[in-house]
């Protein structure tokens, strides 16, 4: 059993701003291992968090040292939660004085074969958890060091850096140290943490003066304990540092060694009215109503009287609240609230028409001048489904209709795969996409929507840098600027003889166009004006690379295929040059007989479902194995010739076996060759009870010794014998059980009698399998006692919409694909979708042996 060395959550609250919203979410289903803590064995000596922040680019070093005091080896975990936008740059371990350092490689280039003893993954973007596990020998000592970099974002006039501390074991020495250097000077600095009790305030120090700020927190076990109860979580809270800088001019430029970064943040401008149309899908499941309504109501609170609002509710109809926009006066807001309260959510619908209607309403409002000319128009879509068979049609038509004039934000309430669709839709229309989960414990995060934030003060910001002085610029045109935010642009200086250059910033303000000009002198082009102690490499260059990679990855989302290849190549090159673990790279730590992979997931895919069924096989034939502890499933497909009989379950000890025979499609005259096979005949044998059951698409036959009982699928009947039950549900299913703990259901798929190709076929589902012995085998049976796997390296595949990933299962690494299969128990026609990790090549690597090993002579074989 492992010992929780530590769990940190370092969350620099990433506040979305319009210019760089790379919103992805994680693979929530990747479950953290459940860890039993035996505190005494692993002694955590120290944990140090050391942050150096220069021009709000943070370089963080986390070091932790532990000793195994047990007389046997123990697993030690090192877990860190990273900010979503952070890139890891370094990781190393020192075990008994030997250093093992990670190397960054191109993803896919390194083939890791054989047994993987040590696995590190960084990912699940929402919970960017970094995890390393080491099996530490008795009396050995390990030191972990993790370094990552992140740009702090400014929102509502401050930068916020939040370090969440959650740990089970109190280290002997625990220290947080944050050094800040801001060339423009620090305006204020604050730090707090509620785990710090009054009598411990002395443990925290904070100060700032001029360009420097300093925060520290130090705790040793000699000091009074933070929490009385040693057995429970000792520290669980955020350690938050907030600060802001002085701004004499709106566009400060920092230059170090040929790279510049401009931080642009004009202040005290008049707000620009917002014209907001909320497009609300009311096709939601009833149980989430209150959650969604509550959030809609709170969004309305953030509008001002200068703003204009309207609503479109859609279901199988599309209806606007008002024909034209109304001012967000208290009276209208109240009316809008009543509208929201009265919404009755139901069924499915498509977002296509409602979005076009929203664009039309905005067009009309602008054309008829019912809304101010200087304003920003926003469409906020709330939906749980695109419900459109041609997603490309929506994207194309919406983009065409909006013509770059309006911002489309998408809030997607769901847990399945459509999120990339909404992300693309929003990004293409200068908006942001966000996903909220619907399950009970999920927090709705709606705080990142443009409309909810501070006052919008500038539109269409264009930063112009002379072409003869600069190159390789990051994004320099921005749609919106919110009061209290900051726009960041970085680039390279061309090595020429210029002594100065002019930066022009053009933007639209509330009542006029604005222009800012900055004369940048280049005498410090090669002179570093930063202090040595703060200088982690050339921060402007690293910040430039960091921003460029983030923006390339964001562009990738809505780029075409050929463009994607270019974006990937560029981002990869930068990631390797600057040592960033990005979605395109992988960090590998090589140890004797051990390989450690370190990665950042490119995009998360999220879903959740619960199904009481354990495993099944249906259709042509697709095998699905539920993995309840992961709230996920694995699946595979077995292809073979019609007539082949496959063993699904075989338990010699219990004397039970289930076999199934493949049938093909009907032969056709017009040369249609189809390789599809299905199960047409199933045999269930119980040796102890001298019982054989044959289920075909026509008949159900029970052979009990010399007795034969025959039924058709049209019957409604049940047969009960000692320790055996069979029930036929007319035209639907046959349930078979052998006492407690062995229960199956067989589904009949009827196709139209004169179907030119298809025949009727069967599906087989295990409802209960806990009676089976440890020796149970077969294509389904071998999974009855559970299976464990790890998923990592999830990456988008260029070939399909479905992402690929690497699965670590049975000590093998397999490439798997995210897929969906169907559970047809409820609805034999349409089925209900079940996401799963698909293992290719007839389940090779997942199943023991190969498919050949499961071919049996007949449907009653049990040898
Ligand atoms: C390890 O320690 C346990 C109890 O602390 C003791 O029972 C056991 O004999 C020890 N084993 C060895 C190999 O020293
Ligand atoms: C650089 O370009 C600017 C206009 O963009 C021009 O005014 C200036 O003369 C150019 N400087 C040099 C050295 O070519
Ligand atoms: C910019 O500043 C430099 C140095 O102070 C000066 O020589 C140059 O004339 C200025 N340029 C403009 C356009 O004001
Ligand atoms: C990709 O890069 C190549 C070479 O740099 C260039 O010729 C091509 O036009 C680029 N394609 C796209 C779609 O940007
Ligand atoms: C059927 O299988 C053969 C051989 O495996 C393959 O060449 C052919 O493309 C398949 N046909 C279809 C329609 O899948
Ligand atoms: C069998 O079909 C009936 C009728 O549709 C349904 O009520 C029952 O739940 C099904 N049994 C199982 C085990 O799925
Ligand atoms: C299956 O789907 C079709 C169309 O998608 C629908 O008309 C039908 O009602 C569905 N069947 C059931 C049983 O829900």
């Amino acid at each position: 059993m492992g010992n929780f060395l530590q769990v940190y959550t370092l969350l620099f609250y990433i506040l979305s701003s319009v210019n760089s919203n790379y919103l992805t979410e994680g693979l929530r289903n990747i479950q953290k291992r459940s860890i039993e803590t035996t505190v005494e064995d692993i002694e955590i000596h120290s944990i140090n968090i050391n942050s150096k922040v220069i021009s709000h680019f943070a370089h963080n070093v986390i070091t932790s040292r532990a000793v195994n005091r047990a007389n046997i080896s123990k697993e030690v975990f090192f877990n860190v939660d990273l900010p979503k936008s952070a890139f890891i740059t370094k990781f190393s371990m020192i075990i008994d004085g030997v250093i093992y350092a990670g190397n960054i490689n191109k993803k896919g280039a390194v083939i890791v074969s054989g047994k993987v003893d040590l696995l590190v993954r960084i990912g699940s973007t929402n919970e960017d958890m970094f995890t390393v596990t080491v099996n530490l020998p008795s009396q050995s000592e390990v030191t972990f060091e993790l370094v990552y970099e992140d740009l702090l974002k400014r929102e509502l006039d401050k930068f916020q850096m939040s370090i969440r501390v959650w740990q089970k074991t109190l280290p002997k020495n625990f220290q947080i140290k944050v050094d800040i250097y801001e060339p423009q000077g620090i305006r204020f600095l604050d730090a707090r943490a509620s785990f710090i009790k009054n009598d411990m305030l002395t443990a925290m120090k904070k100060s700032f003066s001029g360009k420097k700020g300093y925060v520290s927190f130090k705790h040793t076990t000699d000091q009074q304990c933070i929490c009385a109860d040693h057995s429970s979580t000792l520290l669980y809270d955020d350690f938050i540092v907030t600060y802001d800088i002085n701004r004499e001019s709106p566009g400060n430029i920092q230059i170090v060694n040929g790279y510049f970064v401009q931080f642009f943040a004009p202040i005290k401008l008049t707000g620009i009215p917002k014209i907001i149309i909320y497009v609300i899908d009311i096709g939601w499941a009833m149980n989430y109503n209150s959650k969604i309504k509550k959030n809609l109501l709170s969004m309305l609170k953030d509008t001002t009287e200068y703003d204009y609002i309207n609503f479109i509710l859609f279901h199988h109809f599309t209806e606007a609240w008002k024909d034209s926009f109304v001012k967000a006066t208290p009276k209208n807001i109240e009316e809008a609230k009543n509208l929201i309260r009265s919404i009755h959510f139901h069924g499915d619908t498509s977002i296509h028409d409602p979005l076009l209607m929203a664009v039309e309403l905005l067009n009309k409002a602008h054309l008829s001048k019912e809304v101010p000319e200087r304003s920003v128009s926003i469409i906020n879509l709330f939906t749980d489904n695109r419900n459109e068979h041609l997603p490309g049609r929506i994207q194309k038509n919406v983009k065409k209709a909006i013509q770059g004039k309006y911002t489309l934000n998408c809030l997607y309430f769901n847990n399945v795969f459509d999120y990339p669709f909404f992300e693309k839709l929003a990004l293409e229309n200068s908006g942001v996409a966000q996903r909220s989960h619907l399950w009970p414990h999920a927090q709705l995060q709606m705080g990142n929507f443009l409309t909810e934030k501070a006052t919008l003060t500038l539109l269409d910001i264009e930063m112009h840098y002379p072409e003869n002085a600069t190159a390789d610029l990051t994004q320099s045109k921005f749609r919106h600027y919110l009061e209290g935010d900051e726009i960041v642009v970085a680039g390279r200086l061309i090595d020429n003889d210029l002594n100065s250059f002019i930066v022009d910033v053009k933007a639209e303000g509330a009542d006029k166009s604005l222009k800012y000009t900055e004369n940048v002198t280049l005498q410090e082009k090669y002179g570093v004006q930063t202090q040595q102690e703060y200088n982690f490499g050339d921060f402007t260059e690293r910040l430039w690379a960091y921003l460029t990679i983030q923006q390339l990855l964001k562009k990738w989302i809505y780029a075409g295929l050929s463009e994607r290849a270019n974006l990937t190549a560029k981002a990869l090159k930068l990631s390797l040059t600057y040592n960033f673990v990005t979605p395109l790279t992988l960090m590998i730590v090589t140890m004797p007989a051990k390989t450690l992979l370190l990665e950042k997931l490119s995009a998360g895919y999220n879903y959740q479902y619960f199904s009481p069924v354990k495993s099944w096989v249906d259709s042509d034939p697709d095998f699905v194995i539920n993995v309840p502890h992961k709230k996920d499933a694995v699946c595979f497909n077995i292809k073979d010739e019609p007539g082949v009989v496959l063993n699904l379950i075989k338990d010699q000890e219990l004397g039970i076996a289930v076999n199934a025979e493949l049938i093909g499609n009907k032969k056709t005259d017009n040369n249609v060759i189809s390789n599809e096979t299905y199960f047409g005949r199933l045999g269930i044998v119980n040796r102890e009870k001298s019982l054989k059951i044959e289920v075909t698409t026509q008949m159900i036959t029970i052979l009990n010794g010399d007795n034969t009982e025959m039924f058709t699928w049209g019957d409604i009947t049940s047969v009960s014998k000692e320790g055996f039950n069979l029930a036929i549900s007319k035209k639907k299913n046959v349930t078979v059980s052998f006492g407690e703990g062995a229960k199956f259901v067989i589904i009949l798929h009827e196709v139209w009698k004169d179907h030119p190709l298809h025949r009727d076929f069967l599906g087989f589902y295990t409802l209960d399998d806990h009676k089976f012995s440890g020796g149970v085998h077969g294509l389904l049976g071998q999974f009855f006692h559970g299976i464990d796997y790890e998923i990592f390296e999830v990456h988008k595949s260029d070939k399909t919409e479905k992402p690929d990933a690497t699965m670590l299962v049975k000590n093998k690494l397999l490439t798997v694909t995210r897929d969906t299969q169907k559970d047809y128990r409820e609805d034999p026609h349409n089925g209900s979708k079940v996401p799963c990790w698909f293992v290719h090549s007839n389940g090779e690597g997942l199943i023991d042996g190969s498919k050949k090993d499961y071919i049996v002579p007949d449907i009653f074989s049990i040898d």
Side-chain angles (χ1 to χ4, degrees), residues 704-800:
N704 192 1
D706 294 333
N707 263 335
T708 303
E709 285 175 272
M710 295 177 83
F711 305 94
T712 71
W713 273 98
D715 290 329
I716 305 175
T717 188
S718 73
V719 178
S720 276
K721 297 198 160 57
E722 197 216 323
F724 165 67
N725 259 288
L726 181 145
I728 304 171
S729 190
K730 187 181 164 83
K731 296 276 181 195
K732 293 266 195 253
N733 59 44
V734 176
T735 317
V736 178
S737 62
F738 297 106
E740 282 287 300
K743 191 173 182 187
F744 316 107
V745 62
I746 298 151
I747 306 281
L748 175 66
H749 291 268
E750 281 192 299
V751 299
W752 165 48
K753 206 156 93 314
D754 297 322
H755 195 289
L757 205 58
H758 297 314
R759 300 174 199 267
D760 293 353
F761 63 96
L762 303 169
F764 179 86
Y765 295 74
T766 311
L767 298 181
D768 196 349
D769 60 18
H770 73 258
K771 186 182 189 161
F772 287 90
S773 76
V776 62
H777 213 263
L779 285 167
L780 291 177
Q782 64 187 293
F783 302 107
F784 283 179
H785 295 290
I787 176 150
D788 202 7
Y789 64 82
E790 291 284 334
I791 286 291
F792 55 100
E793 213 184 339
V794 177
H795 53 278
K796 287 186 180 169
S797 147
D798 274 354
K799 281 177 243 139
T800 64

Side-chain angles (χ1 to χ4, degrees), residues 560-567 570:
L561 272 186
S562 66
E563 203 187 338
R564 279 187 172 188
N566 281 6
L567 296 171
K570 276 187 208 157

Side-chain angles (χ1 to χ4, degrees), residues 349-368:
T349 184
S350 165
I351 62 168
H352 181 269
D353 296 352
L355 283 179
L356 292 189
M357 184 187 211
V359 177
E360 255 172 54
L361 280 169
L362 285 169
N363 285 345
K364 194 182 116 225
H366 284 283
L367 211 65
S368 63

Side-chain angles (χ1 to χ4, degrees), residues 465-469 496-502:
Y465 301 85
E467 278 178 22
N468 56 11
N496 62 20
D497 297 332
L498 290 180
N499 295 317
S500 65
F501 67 83
I502 303 290

Side-chain angles (χ1 to χ4, degrees), residues 54 191 208 535 578 649 665:
I54 173 163
F208 71 96
N535 197 8
Y578 292 92
I649 303 168
N665 277 324

